[in-house]
Amino acid sequence: MPVITTPPAARFGRFELRPAARLLLVDGEPAALGGRAFDVLMVLFDRRAGPVSKAELLQTVWPASVVEENTLQVHVSALRKVLGPMAIMTIPGRGYRFTAPLEAADAQADPRSCPSAAPVPPAPPHNLPLPRTRFIGREASLAQCLRLLQDVRLLTLTGIGGCGKTRLALQLAQCQLPACPDGVWFVDLAPLREPPHVIAAVAAALGVRPDAARPLLDRLCAHLATRHTLIVLDNCEHVIDAAAAVADTLLASCAGLKIVATSREGLGVAGEQIVPVRPLSLPLAPDLASVLGAEAVRLFVDRAGLARPDFAIDEDNAAAVADICRRLDGIALAIELAAARVGMLPVAEISARLADRFRFLTGGSRAVPRHQTLQAALTWSHDMLPRAEQQLLRRLAVFADGCTLAAATEVADAGDEYTVLALLQRLHDKSLLVVDPAGAAPPRYRMLETVRQYAQELLAESGEADATRDRHLRCFVALAEVALAQVQGPRQGDWMLLLAQVQQDLVAAHHWCQHTAQGPQAALRLVASLWRYWVASAQLERGHALAAQALAAAPADADPLWHARAHWAMGQIAFRMGHYDETRAQADCSLALAVGVNDAEQITLSLSLRAKGLHASGQIEPARQHYQQACAVARTLSSPFWLGAALNNLAELHRSVGQLDAAEACYEEAVAISRRLQSPEGTFVPLCNLARLSVAAGRLERARTLLLESLHLAAGAELKGMAEDLLEVTAGLASARQAYTTAARFSGAARARMQAGGSQREPVDEDFIAPLMARARTALGVSAFAQAEAQGGWLAAEAAIVEVRCWLERPP
């Protein structure tokens, strides 16, 4: 049994140590510690006046055993997991030391504080500036750095200006004091203008005087050769080569030295551990608890309290505070500058003014110059970039939400892909770009929004903005045209995800069309290429507005085929919105242009669209004639894709007049064509219609099978706009199976999706669902039906589809 003294109970932070009971309490609850780990803790606690050597710990805790040193390390690691990394420090070459501060009462009662006790060693010397504000929001990063410093000797904190590197480095240095008996020294390199001054600055901080007989760097090495010391080199970026050379030489000569550096990029020294200082965490959800738990919000609240002591977050201002932190990308300096405005403005108005953040977010005149304004912090980084990197940075600002290497090469016009990749790498190393998301293929390079707005101002001042935006427009017109073909095929889901990823850039390209000579023609191509995306992603109103804008600006000499396609695309969107007169008008314009250039494919599409508009307006026979004519022309085309669409539309007409056998034959042929082409959406639409037909005919099990296949297709192809069809047809099936509450619930969910996406139910589909919902309403009663329908309407789209899947997968 080890011989360990039993000191009185003590408290430190969330912990209470009760030696007599062999208990460590965490927030009043016993911690799960093994017996040997507790013995190690007791030895360190009992002898906390100084470090305890590893040999002494092994001999005390395992007096009669031969134990490897790594066994001790395992138990120390277990203690750190419970107590946190700052409670037990590693003293290089000397062992471990318990460093958690005791509460005042326990410290006063400690026998070591009595005059008769052995003197406590003096605190290690240091020149660390006293913090003026609380350390908030970097607890996990601090713990990570403390762990890393146990094994590395050079740790570099990197990040953009104002992200909090210096504050983290100072806190880290403060925590390292017990492990550095010969001192911790802070060296601010920001004021330096010449690289040779780095050595002098380090020497001055350590009190090493120049001597003409010996180089100053040699004197520094001699001074530190036998000392256990930590040096903080702050703001290395503008003298990075000199800082790296000094650090490399000192580390090679001084075994007891560790260095923490802060810089926009790593020093590039052997053995360097780089730790990116990320933006502070943002709220993950809109509820008050999530907002209050975010690091960025905690910092805002703390700094706002300095400007207005009664400031607090509540239900009324939580959303505005979260918006401020989100729009400022979690950048510590920006958040502190915004919080300082709380004394003058309500948080909602602060949020509203962030569109002009560089004029709005300014600090006091006594602040460090580069921290007086947000713009100054970014200018400090930008001005140190070589010209090629500055050019690429400002040109990348034209991208609304990041870009791939290929897009950057095309739009930035900065050389071939290898040249651009090297520049991207350097901007990333200097914390001006992030790779988002990590591990994506292909990777996307993105700026934080604050950096992007700064770069946009540089682009506007450079005189390159128009040419850069023209290249951006050409890039995304080309992408949209490739997508137009791909979204009809087996990779529809991948391409829908890609278009969703670049949607902001597609909209930006649309808007730029109003400001450039190539714009009117490019706008028609974008409209014709993207209509399916706007429909499938349930963004009908946006697609309709962009199409209307493009057609209104179309020049008289526009390419007639693209002009025809744009009219047809707008007609498709108008049809989904229930604007049938507009559908026919757009179809007529498209047909006239298509006939003029004798394009059989576009003639097929225009005829079919006109027939849809006529059919929805109740003009059955004219619609039938147009459908039949469209099918006849479609059979002459090399690709059968549009024949499948025309057959589905003709089947809809047959179904609406009760010709169910004819409808089924057309649906089946349409499905067969689309399956051969591996077109998810082309297969989904007639499958859903076949399910409607099967419900109407009483073939309920077949309807269930068809709906399950449709569900799989919609999920794999990212057809969010098709959710309403799945919900509606399943609601009809549920009513036919007398599951009336389920029917009402799914009907409510379908109605909510239609309202959210701006779509309108076609008359033939209204004829299908109306009697089935009337039957459910009668069976349940008006009140119960309305309640179930409302509950369905409250479901999120994803949750509603999960319910549909679960219900369909259960055997009847």
Side-chain angles (χ1 to χ4, degrees), residues 523-546:
L524 295 177
R525 296 162 80 101
L526 285 170
V527 167
S529 301
L530 294 174
W531 73 271
R532 190 182 299 276
Y533 171 72
W534 301 124
V535 170
S537 62
Q539 299 183 77
L540 296 174
E541 291 184 1
R542 168 170 278 174
H544 187 271
L546 293 172

Side-chain angles (χ1 to χ4, degrees), residues 492 648 671 675 679-694 702-730 733 801 804-805 808-809:
Q492 182 171 22
N648 174 77
V671 168
R675 280 178 174 157
S679 171
E681 185 181 2
T683 308
F684 173 91
V685 173
L687 272 181
C688 260
N689 288 330
L690 264 176
R692 287 186 174 97
L693 191 69
S694 299
R702 184 177 189 231
R704 184 175 81 93
T705 302
L706 292 168
L707 283 170
L708 281 170
E709 183 179 353
S710 301
L711 186 71
H712 175 74
L713 286 168
E718 295 294 316
L719 301 176
K720 296 177 182 177
M722 304 295 116
E724 61 205 50
D725 284 304
L726 281 168
L727 289 162
E728 180 179 283
V729 184
T730 308
L733 175 61
I801 292 300
V804 164
R805 182 186 297 277
L808 288 172
E809 288 177 346

Side-chain angles (χ1 to χ4, degrees), residues 154 248 251 267-273:
L154 172 60
D248 193 29
L251 290 169
L267 302 187
V269 173
E272 177 184 32
Q273 174 68 61

Side-chain angles (χ1 to χ4, degrees), residues 167-397:
R167 187 71 176 86
L168 177 58
L170 287 172
Q171 193 71 21
L172 178 59
Q174 191 72 40
C175 294
Q176 284 290 301
L177 279 170
C180 301
D182 297 310
V184 174
W185 308 103
F186 178 79
V187 186
D188 184 7
L189 303 181
L192 305 186
R193 293 294 173 263
E194 299 296 333
H197 295 165
V198 171
I199 299 173
V202 176
L206 272 68
V208 176
R209 297 179 178 276
D211 184 343
R214 191 177 186 187
L216 187 55
L217 184 56
D218 289 349
R219 287 180 59 77
L220 271 172
C221 291
H223 176 79
L224 294 169
T226 59
R227 287 178 164 86
H228 291 280
T229 306
L230 174 71
I231 296 176
V232 178
L233 296 178
D234 193 37
N235 297 300
C236 296
E237 52 274 342
H238 63 304
V239 287
I240 192 164
D241 292 337
V246 170
D248 193 29
T249 300
L250 291 178
L251 290 169
S253 304
C254 312
L257 173 66
K258 294 193 176 187
I259 295 176
V260 171
T262 74
S263 177
R264 303 295 195 270
E265 59 183 313
L267 302 187
V269 173
E272 177 184 32
Q273 174 68 61
I274 295 176
V275 178
V277 179
R278 308 293 186 189
L280 296 168
S281 67
L282 300 168
L284 299 176
D287 60 279
L288 187 58
S290 295
V291 171
L292 288 170
E295 292 177 336
V297 172
R298 288 166 50 205
L299 180 66
F300 184 94
V301 173
D302 184 80
R303 302 307 191 253
L306 300 177
R308 206 183 89 192
D310 63 340
F311 179 80
I313 287 193
D314 53 31
E315 295 286 356
D316 294 330
N317 64 13
V321 172
D323 183 62
I324 290 169
C325 294
R326 190 173 293 109
R327 293 178 64 189
L328 295 177
D329 304 303
I331 298 174
L333 172 62
I335 290 168
E336 292 190 355
L337 292 172
R341 297 295 191 191
V342 165
M344 299 294 294
L345 296 170
V347 289
E349 191 164 341
I350 293 173
S351 177
R353 291 176 181 270
L354 292 182
D356 196 9
R357 65 190 65 185
F358 295 113
R359 290 180 61 195
F360 180 56
L361 299 181
T362 59
S365 60
R366 296 180 180 85
V368 176
R370 68 183 181 280
H371 288 171
Q372 288 177 3
T373 69
L374 185 59
Q375 188 163 24
L378 291 171
T379 299
W380 170 265
S381 294
H382 170 267
D383 288 353
M384 287 182 289
L385 298 176
R387 182 174 299 178
E389 293 173 33
Q390 290 180 346
Q391 182 188 70
L392 181 61
L393 181 72
R394 62 178 178 262
R395 291 180 179 180
L396 291 181

Side-chain angles (χ1 to χ4, degrees), residues 375 477 482 516 524 574 580 688 728 789 792:
Q375 188 163 24
V477 168
V482 173
T516 182
L524 295 177
Y580 303 129
C688 260
E728 180 179 283
E789 191 175 42

